[in-house]
Amino acid sequence: MFCRILGFVALLLATNYPLHAQRAAFTVGTATAAAGQKANGYIEVPAGVDAGTNIPVVVVNGAKPGPVLALVTGAHGTEYVSIIAVEKLIGELDPSQVSGTVILVPLVNLLSFEQKVPHVNPADNKSMNRFYPGKMDGTQTDRALFMITKEVVDPCDYLIDYHGGDLDESLRPYAYWGATGKEAQDRISKQMVLAFGLDHIIIWGERPTDATASRYLDNTASLRGKPAIVVEAGHAGTVESDDVALLVNGTLSTMRALKMIAGEPHYIENPVWLGKVVDVISEGPGIWYPLVKRGTYVSEGMKIGYVTDYFGKVILDARSPVSGVILHVNAVPSLKKGDNIADIGVVAAKAP
Ligand SMILES: [Zn+2]
């Protein structure tokens, strides 16, 4: 009897998920997967003030009950490692071995990918990670993000947003974790980021707290009560297998922590927690010559590179305003006024 009661309690805990996560078919956009099946489809974004688009989506509906995890990438369509990693997961995830449901969105920003345009959606020149939760009376980015909020964020229990160094960014891998002040939610998101295993984690404070102006995807999920993290790997148009492996293995470890696949998660021990990120911004156009690489630790005042005019005259010595780690540095000679030369992470005084 004692054991049976314990078993009943354990069952209650294990099935403490929304009813839609039970073993019925699961639909996102035009993709409907029966229990134990994988299905492809599209999140249809209707035309409005400009053209519509169809965002690919895959539903891996596990044979066993469990939570709903959303994996979303390609908001920046030339952050290739993040896209290739989720493509790899589409192939690797076996619904017969999954407890719960995984929604995979491998490429939010199709035109960016197809036209090789970094940072923005060429349809309206907007970043596809700045306008959440989106709206239907806006441009294509606004409408696409509205549909992702509705079709992906609302039905999920947990979310991972993938990014990386864009075509012009030489980036070392890192994650973002932000506290919401809700103890249970923050404990789970912290468990997720530690299970993901990237060794530098930015503590993301001072984020929008208004759910109608959440701006970022992970923040949109967080403000709706769903533990969410951001992970970044890859740099400057490359698809290196080590970077892809970081994101694939990190995802599988996080799924183990969430008890969605078998096996033990691998938690990172004593990661470097970064308390803030400081930008170095270009004051004018010119040619960039870096003196540091991604991941270099620098002291305040250290020269990290310089900018010349088109005659070779040095017009700017770029110095680090803080002591910290180069999270990413401009990867190409081109610079225009206002470009981000580097992001420097400052090590937090203590772990959260
Ligand atoms: Zn990005």
Side-chain angles (χ1 to χ4, degrees), residues 245-263:
L246 281 177
L247 299 185
V248 170
N249 294 338
T251 304
L252 297 175
S253 178
T254 305
M255 288 181 68
R256 291 184 183 108
L258 296 172
K259 308 231 180 301
M260 297 181 73
I261 52 174

Side-chain angles (χ1 to χ4, degrees), residues 75-76 79 162-164 166 232:
H76 304 129
E79 295 175 354
Y162 299 75
H163 290 264
D166 217 320
E232 307 225 9

Side-chain angles (χ1 to χ4, degrees), residues 230-249:
V230 181
V231 294
E232 307 225 9
H235 53 101
T238 58
V239 185
E240 293 183 4
S241 53
D242 286 357
D243 285 328
V244 174
L246 281 177
L247 299 185
V248 170
N249 294 338

Side-chain angles (χ1 to χ4, degrees), residues 76-113:
H76 304 129
T78 44
E79 295 175 354
Y80 293 121
V81 163
S82 67
I83 296 159
I84 299 305
V86 172
E87 289 289 337
K88 201 159 181 214
L89 287 162
I90 289 171
E92 283 188 10
L93 289 179
D94 175 355
S96 72
Q97 303 302 315
V98 170
S99 299
T101 305
V102 189
I103 305 169
L104 302 101
V105 181
L107 183 52
V108 169
N109 192 341
L110 292 138
L111 286 181
S112 159
F113 179 86

Side-chain angles (χ1 to χ4, degrees), residues 102-184:
V102 189
I103 305 169
L104 302 101
V105 181
L107 183 52
V108 169
N109 192 341
L110 292 138
L111 286 181
S112 159
F113 179 86
E114 290 168 5
Q115 299 180 13
K116 306 182 198 78
V117 173
H119 307 298
V120 297
N121 178 358
D124 55 16
N125 224 26
K126 290 177 176 172
S127 167
M128 295 193 85
N129 194 30
R130 292 292 183 281
F131 295 90
Y132 279 99
K135 56 183 181 179
M136 284 311 280
D137 61 352
T139 59
Q140 187 186 88
T141 292
D142 299 303
R143 299 196 307 281
L145 302 193
F146 179 89
M147 292 304 295
I148 291 170
T149 301
K150 180 166 165 270
E151 295 279 347
V152 179
V153 178
D154 283 347
C156 83
D157 300 306
Y158 310 104
L159 182 140
I160 305 175
D161 186 19
Y162 299 75
H163 290 264
D166 217 320
L167 289 179
D168 56 355
E169 293 171 337
S170 183
L171 177 144
R172 69 102 61 227
Y174 56 87
Y176 285 97
W177 173 77
T180 62
K182 295 177 193 152
E183 195 275 330

